[in-house]
């Protein structure tokens, strides 16, 4: 009868760098079990940042089940019956409660660990987070606006017990006629995690200005750029999206998409690009929702219109429409071993 191998004795016989190499190729479910083998394995799997980064590079994609909730022209991604996705970074998901606008949490779907944040400010409009891959420092930023009260708050996970104020360099820009002036927030792109952009329209009558407030979440620093005058006649006829992971403002006219791309938000550097588009005879309806374009690059445009996702291939000038499924959907993400201070293992009421 064959004896079952003892991992503790095996770990004494093999060099630890060989063990580390072997473990770096294993799925997260196995590592969650193996961290109980001995103290060395526990420290490696839970606390060694180099190992965690190496494992994330090598691990297979994790399949997550979700559903779309489409109400009042607003689309919410649900991994859980009572929470919707607000942001995603380094294998972690920031989620907002569907029943209480002040309740948010950060969850690791691979390790099933959850951290509930202190209640957000009443009137929270946007929330995003970022994680430093080298130090695992994690910061969450909240923008709130209710009546005449407008501002930003930030929370450093593991250091701050409560939200603390975060100053904007020009607080006068946050309000217009006594009300919140930031109309929209575009979260981080996949290649530029930790960088978000707030959009603000100022002016009266026909004299409109579009300002983009770029926020580096980890450094808590803002940079403000104003779209050059003369690019558009009316801001409300413009589109806003990411072009190759840079913020772009665009206008569609005469089968051409003309855009200004903010190539470097710190140096206030813009570039102008034009691409041919011959799609959707009713493309003017896109202008009723200037933020319907989700993403764009040299290959195509990806945007949402009502209950459909639409991809337009710029090379073949063809479109593909994908209806939003109301039932179960699946996406694939890079899983991570990252555990924030205060996270606890717990089950969630997954969508079925």
């Amino acid at each position: 009868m064959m004896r079952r191998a003892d991992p503790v004795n095996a770990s004494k016989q093999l060099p630890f760098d060989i063990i580390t190499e072997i473990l770096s190729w294993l799925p997260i479910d196995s590592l969650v079990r193996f961290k109980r083998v001995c103290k060395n394995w526990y420290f490696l799997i839970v606390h060694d940042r180099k190992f965690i980064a190496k494992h994330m590079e090598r691990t297979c994609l994790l399949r997550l089940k979700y559903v779309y909730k489409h109400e009042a022209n607003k689309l919410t991604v649900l991994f859980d019956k009572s929470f919707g996705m607000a942001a995603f970074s380094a294998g972690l998901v920031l989620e907002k409660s569907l029943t209480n606008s002040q309740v948010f949490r950060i969850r690791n779907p691979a390790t099933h660990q959850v951290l509930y944040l202190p209640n957000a400010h009443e009137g929270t409009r946007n929330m995003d987070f970022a994680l430093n891959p080298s130090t695992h420092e994690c910061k969450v930023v909240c923008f709130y606006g209710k009546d005449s009260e407008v501002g930003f708050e930030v929370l450093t996970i593991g250091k701050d017990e409560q939200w603390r104020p975060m100053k904007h360099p020009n607080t006068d820009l946050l309000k217009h006629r006594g009300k919140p002036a930031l109309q929209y927030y575009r979260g981080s792109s996949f290649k530029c995690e930790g960088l978000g952009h707030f959009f603000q329209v100022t002016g009266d009558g026909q004299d409109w200005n579009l300002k983009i407030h770029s926020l580096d979440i980890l450094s808590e620093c803002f940079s403000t750029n104003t779209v050059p005058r003369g690019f558009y006649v009316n801001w409300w006829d413009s589109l806003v999206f990411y072009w190759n992971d840079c913020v772009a403002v665009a206008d569609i006219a005469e089968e051409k998409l003309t855009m200004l791309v903010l190539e470097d938000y710190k140096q206030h550097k813009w570039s102008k690009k034009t691409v041919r588009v011959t799609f959707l005879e009713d493309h003017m309806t896109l202008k009723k929702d200037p933020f319907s374009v989700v993403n764009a690059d040299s290959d195509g445009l990806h945007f949402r219109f009502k209950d459909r996702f639409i991809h337009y291939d710029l090379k073949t000038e063809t479109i593909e429409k994908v209806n939003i499924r109301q039932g179960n959907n699946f996406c694939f993400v890079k899983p991570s071993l990252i555990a924030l201070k205060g996270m606890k293992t717990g089950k969630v009421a997954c969508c079925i």
Side-chain angles (χ1 to χ4, degrees), residues 182-320:
L182 301 183
Q183 279 81 9
Y184 184 77
Y185 176 71
R186 178 69 79 178
S188 309
S189 67
F190 287 109
K191 293 183 181 179
C192 301
E193 291 188 355
L195 179 64
H197 305 275
F198 291 88
F199 298 86
Q200 175 190 20
V201 180
T202 60
D204 295 295
Q206 296 298 316
D207 188 20
W208 296 102
N209 288 309
L210 173 61
K211 296 183 182 295
I212 301 176
H213 305 269
S214 302
L215 170 62
D216 185 321
I217 297 175
L218 290 176
S219 67
E220 303 178 27
C221 292
F222 284 92
S223 296
T224 299
N225 287 271
T226 302
V227 176
R229 287 179 174 272
F231 172 66
Y232 50 82
V233 177
N234 189 344
W235 145 247
W236 306 111
D237 285 344
S238 299
L239 301 171
V240 176
F241 52 88
Y242 278 121
W243 174 268
N244 291 332
D245 296 296
C246 295
V247 171
V249 181
D251 183 60
I252 298 176
E254 298 179 352
E255 298 188 344
K256 290 191 300 183
L257 178 71
T258 304
M259 69 187 95
L260 283 180
V261 182
L262 186 55
E263 301 278 2
D264 190 329
Y265 72 96
K266 292 183 179 179
Q267 299 297 324
H268 312 288
K269 180 182 177 181
W270 296 85
S271 65
K272 188 174 181 179
K273 301 182 183 297
T274 302
V275 295
R276 174 182 167 84
V277 290
T278 58
F279 68 104
L280 290 183
E281 64 280 358
D282 60 342
H283 70 264
M284 292 298 292
T285 57
L286 283 174
K287 297 182 178 181
K288 295 179 180 179
D289 181 7
F291 304 104
S292 59
V293 179
V294 178
N295 209 342
D297 51 39
S298 55
D299 293 325
L301 305 176
H302 319 277
F303 57 93
R304 178 175 61 85
F305 178 64
K306 294 183 178 179
D307 60 348
R308 300 192 304 270
F309 282 123
I310 299 175
H311 170 73
Y312 177 72
D313 191 308
L314 290 172
K315 295 178 180 178
T316 62
E317 297 185 357
T318 58
I319 63 173
E320 178 184 359

Side-chain angles (χ1 to χ4, degrees), residues 164-179:
R164 53 186 170 84
M166 183 172 67
K167 292 184 178 180
H168 188 281
N170 189 346
T171 55
D172 293 336
L173 291 177
L174 302 182
K175 296 181 183 180
H176 181 61
R177 296 179 178 177
K179 296 182 178 180

